[in-house]
């Protein structure tokens, strides 16, 4: 029904335009004709009204030059944009028919009737060098309830696309963030382990080697093995089966502060003398050796922290 | 008991002077081989015989010759050959037709330093005669027993690559050597120096810088070097680890060792460690001394199984494992 109506309207418009045109134009001078129509007589509120103005004449396209097309005067519509196109065809008589088409796009404002009150087209007849104008008639369009259609689908599609992009972006961001956090955690864990080695041995020193009491020779043996155990754990190797000389040689090739290394040598030398040379050890000597180990552990901890800060 | 380490150290400084002199004299002739020279001194100081093993041309014989030249003492070189007889070594009884009596003709073994060159080229009876003399430090010829001179040191050499016409020393006899030293090749720099020295015409004079009395005095000081109970325990642990490896967490060695080191290994390890400490001018033994001498003392005392041979595992690999496993005091 809609198609029939459109066809009818189309014919009316042609006739009306031709009549109007004829009334405003001298065809003997110029056989230009104007046709105006809308794509749909009734348009949903959420759709566009497409208004077409078509000029056609016999002869070359350059015969008429459109100098000005004023925006149509409209009611209940807002101009959204316009476009134009040219076309030249040859009819069955072998004559050239040139067509210039101008399309206007309107957005309905509210439901009810909307009107395109006409449009004035100014043109120049290049053959006769005359300026002329044509005025299209008024066309009404019924604005009906909004319907779900392709435009809303498009919007929905855009929204979906945007959401997908956002989700992917978020995923990438989260992945990067996760990896970064993972690395940070691993580093933190490593730092904790390092820190734990020094802290652990400081704790072991306090827990297992008691300053009070006697049998300092035996305690010194334990103290020395605690220090060797610390270096074994720190450098992830077994040093317990090496002699003092080999242990010192091993430590020398590590990045160790010279002061700490000197203290280790001092301690190991004294310890060897007491443990293997039959030297006696009194309470004061033992306290000094104990302090040396504590100092080495503390300094190693600080040394580590400084290196990490760097 | 608190040993007077200071006093021992002073004695060591006094009595060890000659070791440096010997080293200097030897270095006039021998380039490098400081490891071998140090081991020879350890043998000299701890009264232990030494077996030198190495391919020909590594200056084994020359080193021993030079060492003997530095000592004002009697030196005999005995070239072991397949036709050598025990009497050629020890001596024999000679019938004197004039007196109608047997007189003793002492062999070359009656000397202070014996170089038994290529010991594995002589048959077992000769080796046995020498090794018995090494152990007992006396020789019986006929009905007379003669005490060997002091110091009495046997330095034997053998070549490991030639098997044809050789008589490998039985394990029980090898055990009598305190140290078995594997003599290695010199470094390129050392070899260059060897070329330069040996291709010039000037002869180097090696001086005798030490007397047997000096050596005996030094030996007495070596005996005084303090060995702590912990070190003794460490030595015993090392030796026991070759006999009962599983007790020391060395289960993988169980199948590889047929016979572990004998108590002689413990004795020699202690003595050699003492001598090593003496050479370091130290009056007490540290685990370092034991570890550094351990390989040379144990190398020839562990008998490996066929499994070890099949897996191409040598005694040195086993000893290295033991030394790395047994906890250092």
């Amino acid at each position: 029904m809609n198609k029939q109506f459109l066809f009818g309207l189309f014919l009316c418009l042609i006739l009306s335009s031709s009549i109007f045109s004829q009334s405003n134009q001298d065809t003997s001078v110029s056989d230009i004709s104007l046709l105006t129509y809308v794509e749909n007589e009734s348009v949903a509120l959420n759709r566009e009204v497409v208004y077409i103005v078509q000029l056609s004449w016999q002869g070359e396209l350059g015969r008429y030059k459109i100098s000005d097309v004023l925006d149509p005067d409209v009611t209940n519509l807002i101009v959204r944009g316009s476009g134009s196109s040219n076309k030249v065809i040859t009819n069955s008589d072998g004559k050239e028919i040139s067509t210039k088409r101008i399309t206007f796009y309107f957005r309905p404002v509210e439901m009810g009737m909307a009107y395109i009150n006409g449009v004035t087209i100014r043109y120049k007849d290049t053959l006769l060098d005359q300026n002329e104008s044509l005025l299209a008639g008024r066309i009404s369009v019924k604005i009906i309830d909004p319907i779900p259609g392709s435009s809303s689908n498009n919007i929905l599609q855009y929204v979906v696309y945007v959401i997908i992009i956002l989700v992917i972006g978020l995923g990438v961001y989260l992945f990067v963030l996760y990896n970064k956090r993972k690395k940070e955690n691993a580093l933190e864990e490593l730092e904790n382990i390092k820190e734990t080695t020094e802290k652990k041995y400081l704790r072991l020193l306090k827990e297992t080697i008691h300053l009070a009491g006697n049998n300092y020779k035996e305690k010194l043996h334990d103290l020395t093995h605690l220090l060797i155990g610390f270096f074994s754990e720190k450098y992830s190797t077994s040093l317990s089966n090496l002699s003092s000389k080999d242990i010192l040689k091993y430590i020398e090739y590590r990045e160790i502060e010279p002061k700490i290394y000197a203290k280790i040598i001092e301690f190991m030398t004294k310890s060897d003398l007491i443990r293997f040379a039959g030297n006696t050890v009194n309470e004061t000597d033992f306290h000094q050796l104990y302090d040396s180990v504590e100092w080495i552990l503390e300094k190693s901890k600080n040394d580590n922290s400084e290196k990490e800060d760097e | 008991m608190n040993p007077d380490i200071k006093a021992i150290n002073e004695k060591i400084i006094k009595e060890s002077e000659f070791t440096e002199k010997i080293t200097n004299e030897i270095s006039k002739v021998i380039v490098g081989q400081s490891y071998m020279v140090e081991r020879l001194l350890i043998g000299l100081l701890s009264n232990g015989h030494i077996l030198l093993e190495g391919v020909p041309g590594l200056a084994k014989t020359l080193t021993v010759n030079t060492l003997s030249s530095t000592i004002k003492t009697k030196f005999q070189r005995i070239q072991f050959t397949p036709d050598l007889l025990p009497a050629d070594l020890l001596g024999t009884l000679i019938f004197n037709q004039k007196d109608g009596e047997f007189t003793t003709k002492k062999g070359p073994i009656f000397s202070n330093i014996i170089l038994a060159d290529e010991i594995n080229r002589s048959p077992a009876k000769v080796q046995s005669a020498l090794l018995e003399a090494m152990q007992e430090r006396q020789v019986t010829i006929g009905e007379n027993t003669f005490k060997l001179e002091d110091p009495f040191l046997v330095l034997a050499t053998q070549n490991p690559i030639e098997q044809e016409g050789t008589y490998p020393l039985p394990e029980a006899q090898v055990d009598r050597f305190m140290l078995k030293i594997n003599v290695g090749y010199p470094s390129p720099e050392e070899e260059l120096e060897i070329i330069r020295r040996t291709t010039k015409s000037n002869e180097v004079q090696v001086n005798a810088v030490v007397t047997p009395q000096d050596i005996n005095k030094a030996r007495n000081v070596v005996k005084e070097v303090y060995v702590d109970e912990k070190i003794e325990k460490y030595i015993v642990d090392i030796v026991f680890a070759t006999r009962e490896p599983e007790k020391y967490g060395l289960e993988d060695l169980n199948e590889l060792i047929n016979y572990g080191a004998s108590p002689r290994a413990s004795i020699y390890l202690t003595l050699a460690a003492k001598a090593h400490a003496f050479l370091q001018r130290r009056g007490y033994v540290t685990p370092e001394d034991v570890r550094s001498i351990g390989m040379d003392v144990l190398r020839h005392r562990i008998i490996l199984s066929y499994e070890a041979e099949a897996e191409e595992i040598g005694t040195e690999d086993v000893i290295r494992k033991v030394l790395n496993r047994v906890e250092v005091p």
Side-chain angles (χ1 to χ4, degrees):
Chain A
M1 184 189 153
N2 213 5
K3 278 184 181 171
Q4 284 173 340
F5 176 78
L6 274 171
F7 185 67
L9 182 74
F10 179 63
L11 281 174
C12 289
L13 280 167
I14 290 173
L15 287 171
S16 69
S17 299
S18 301
I19 293 159
F20 193 79
S21 145
Q22 278 173 358
S23 65
N24 288 292
Q25 306 285 325
D26 184 355
T27 51
S28 62
V29 176
S30 165
D31 52 358
I32 188 166
S33 62
L34 172 68
L35 170 67
T36 57
Y37 60 95
V38 285
E39 268 187 358
N40 293 303
E41 193 203 21
S42 60
V43 176
L45 186 65
N46 58 343
R47 299 282 178 87
E48 277 182 340
V49 173
V50 181
Y51 174 61
I52 295 149
V53 176
Q54 190 174 299
L55 290 155
S56 51
W57 60 89
Q58 232 179 40
E60 292 173 355
L61 189 66
R63 167 76 191 274
Y64 299 100
K65 192 178 175 186
I66 307 300
S67 53
D68 192 16
V69 181
L70 297 174
D71 277 350
D73 181 18
V74 290
T75 308
N76 197 21
L77 293 169
I78 295 167
V79 180
R80 277 196 66 241
S82 63
S84 67
S85 63
N86 299 318
K87 194 164 74 179
V88 178
I89 55 164
T90 308
N91 65 9
S92 53
D93 303 334
K95 290 176 182 172
E96 262 187 357
I97 305 291
S98 299
T99 307
K100 186 159 189 80
R101 192 173 179 180
I102 300 155
T103 310
F104 291 92
Y105 302 93
F106 304 102
R107 197 177 74 201
V109 178
E110 58 185 23
M111 280 169 36
M113 290 308 291
Y115 300 99
I116 303 162
N117 296 322
V119 61
T120 304
I121 294 128
R122 292 195 180 91
Y123 65 93
K124 189 179 178 182
D125 185 341
T126 55
L127 190 70
L128 302 171
D129 197 22
Q130 284 178 357
N131 287 317
E132 302 290 340
S133 66
L134 284 170
L135 179 66
R138 190 184 193 220
I139 293 176
S140 63
V141 180
K142 193 179 178 184
I143 308 300
I144 58 170
D145 288 336
I147 50 163
S150 60
S151 77
S152 66
N153 268 352
N154 281 344
I155 291 165
L156 199 68
Q157 230 172 355
Y158 290 139
V159 170
V160 169
Y161 288 152
V162 168
I163 287 170
I164 288 169
I165 289 165
L166 280 175
V167 167
I168 291 169
L170 191 72
V172 170
Y173 173 73
L174 286 174
F175 181 73
V176 170
L177 199 71
Y178 169 76
N179 273 348
K180 196 180 165 188
R181 183 57 63 89
K182 202 176 160 184
K183 273 184 192 171
E184 281 173 1
N185 284 347
L187 275 173
E188 209 172 307
E189 209 172 301
L190 202 70
E191 281 164 15
N192 284 340
I193 290 166
K194 275 185 188 171
E195 201 179 9
T196 315
T197 311
E198 278 87 15
K199 277 186 178 174
K200 181 186 161 188
Y201 278 86
L202 275 166
R203 179 177 52 78
L204 282 172
L205 177 72
K206 285 173 179 89
E207 282 175 9
T208 58
I209 316 285
H210 302 291
L211 285 165
N214 44 29
N215 199 1
Y216 292 115
K217 200 166 179 176
E218 202 53 47
K219 282 182 178 178
L220 177 65
H221 179 80
D222 295 341
L223 188 66
T224 310
H225 276 255
L226 185 130
L227 189 65
I228 294 168
F230 163 68
F231 287 117
S232 296
E233 200 165 315
K234 186 176 178 181
Y235 299 123
S236 307
T237 186
S238 175
L239 299 173
S240 62
N241 298 323
L242 298 183
S243 63
S244 305
K245 193 179 166 185
D246 288 338
I247 291 168
L248 289 172
K249 209 184 285 176
Y250 183 85
I251 296 169
E252 193 185 358
Y253 291 108
R254 312 284 136 191
E255 277 182 19
I256 189 161
E257 203 189 307
K259 270 185 183 176
I260 301 174
Y261 183 63
K263 197 77 173 174
I264 298 165
I265 294 174
E266 188 192 323
F267 173 82
M268 294 301 267
T269 311
K270 280 184 184 172
S271 170
D272 274 8
L273 277 170
I274 294 162
R275 289 187 304 147
F276 307 127
N279 280 12
T280 51
V281 54
N282 58 30
E283 195 180 346
T284 317
D285 295 335
F286 181 71
H287 279 220
Q288 279 174 357
L289 289 163
Y290 182 97
D291 290 345
S292 295
V293 172
E294 196 173 26
W295 186 90
I296 291 163
L297 293 173
E298 284 285 356
K299 280 282 169 187
S300 300
K301 195 173 76 178
N302 298 340
D303 193 32
N304 261 352
S305 313
E306 279 166 23
K307 275 177 192 164
E308 280 154 19
D309 291 343
E310 280 169 21
Chain B
M1 187 194 84
N2 291 327
D4 192 352
I5 298 294
K6 204 178 164 188
I8 299 171
N9 282 342
E10 281 169 7
K11 279 185 192 173
I12 288 173
I13 290 164
K14 193 181 164 195
E15 301 300 339
S16 66
E17 274 178 13
F18 74 86
T19 59
E20 208 175 317
K21 287 179 188 168
I22 289 177
T23 312
N24 290 340
E25 288 301 315
I26 290 175
S27 65
K28 283 181 186 173
V29 180
I30 306 294
V31 179
Q33 301 291 11
S34 54
Y35 183 87
M36 176 169 54
V37 173
E38 190 192 61
R39 264 52 186 168
L40 288 174
L41 286 173
I42 287 171
L44 191 70
L45 290 166
S46 50
N47 202 11
H49 309 295
I50 295 172
L51 179 62
L52 296 161
E53 191 176 270
V55 294
L58 292 180
K60 299 186 293 291
T61 310
L62 183 63
T63 309
V64 176
N65 262 326
T66 314
L67 174 69
S68 63
S69 305
T70 63
I71 305 167
K72 288 172 189 161
T73 185
K74 283 187 275 177
F75 168 72
Q76 281 291 341
R77 174 182 170 165
I78 306 163
Q79 186 66 44
F80 278 55
T81 52
D83 60 347
L84 197 73
L85 294 168
D88 299 332
L89 192 71
L90 306 175
T92 188
L93 289 172
I94 295 170
F95 183 70
N96 191 333
Q97 285 186 333
K98 211 176 186 180
D99 306 335
E101 282 180 4
F102 281 95
T103 52
T104 308
K105 170 81 177 157
K106 286 181 180 175
I109 202 162
F110 289 88
S111 191
N112 295 109
I113 297 176
I114 309 287
L115 168 58
D117 216 2
E118 298 192 84
I119 194 170
N120 56 339
R121 288 211 175 272
S122 276
K125 56 187 175 184
V126 183
Q127 291 173 359
S128 204
L130 173 71
L131 296 164
E132 195 182 336
M134 281 164 63
Q135 184 62 28
E136 306 300 330
R137 291 177 190 267
Q138 62 181 32
V139 171
T140 303
I141 302 169
E143 290 174 347
N144 300 316
T145 299
F146 301 93
K147 190 125 182 83
L148 291 171
E149 295 181 34
D150 197 27
F152 174 69
L153 185 68
V154 175
L155 305 168
T157 68
Q158 69 175 13
N159 177 353
I161 54 167
E162 283 175 26
Q163 297 302 316
E164 196 105 345
T166 61
Y167 303 88
L169 294 171
E171 281 79 5
Q173 292 185 348
V174 179
D175 197 47
R176 289 173 193 182
F177 285 98
M178 182 189 202
L179 307 174
K180 182 184 176 187
I181 305 165
N182 277 357
V183 184
Y185 288 107
S187 67
E189 294 76 24
E190 287 169 349
E191 195 134 346
L192 269 176
E193 184 60 25
I194 291 167
I195 294 170
R196 283 168 194 153
R197 280 200 201 177
T198 51
T199 52
K200 282 178 188 168
S201 60
N202 51 334
E203 266 185 32
V204 181
Q205 182 66 41
V206 178
N207 303 312
V209 288
V210 59
T211 62
Q213 290 73 32
D214 292 332
I215 294 168
N216 281 334
K217 275 187 198 172
R219 282 180 178 178
N220 288 333
V221 178
V222 168
K223 283 176 191 163
E224 284 183 45
V225 170
Y226 177 72
V227 184
D228 195 86
E229 209 180 313
K230 283 192 178 69
I231 300 291
E232 288 171 344
K233 174 81 174 44
Y234 179 52
I235 289 168
V236 170
D237 280 342
I238 289 171
V239 173
F240 263 76
T242 67
R243 298 179 204 162
E244 297 165 355
E246 71 283 354
K247 286 189 180 171
Y248 295 85
L250 291 160
E251 289 81 2
D252 52 326
L253 295 186
N254 246 345
E255 295 295 310
L256 304 176
I257 302 173
N258 260 358
Y259 297 97
S262 65
R264 205 179 264 149
S266 303
I267 298 164
Y268 282 150
L269 202 48
T270 311
L271 279 173
K274 280 184 170 195
H276 189 267
F278 178 90
L279 289 176
Q280 307 294 316
R281 312 282 193 274
R282 195 175 351 93
Y284 60 95
V285 174
T286 64
E288 175 60 30
D289 297 314
V290 180
R291 287 172 67 86
S292 64
I293 204 73
M295 188 66 84
D296 297 319
V297 174
L298 297 171
R299 184 179 281 128
H300 51 298
R301 300 177 199 280
I302 297 168
I303 300 166
L304 298 182
S305 64
Y306 288 115
E307 283 87 347
E309 207 174 317
E311 288 176 35
E312 293 183 345
I313 293 171
T315 46
E316 291 192 4
D317 301 315
V318 171
I319 296 163
R320 214 167 283 126
K321 274 192 176 182
V322 167
L323 290 175
N324 288 335
R325 184 72 197 189
V326 175
E327 196 182 333
V328 174

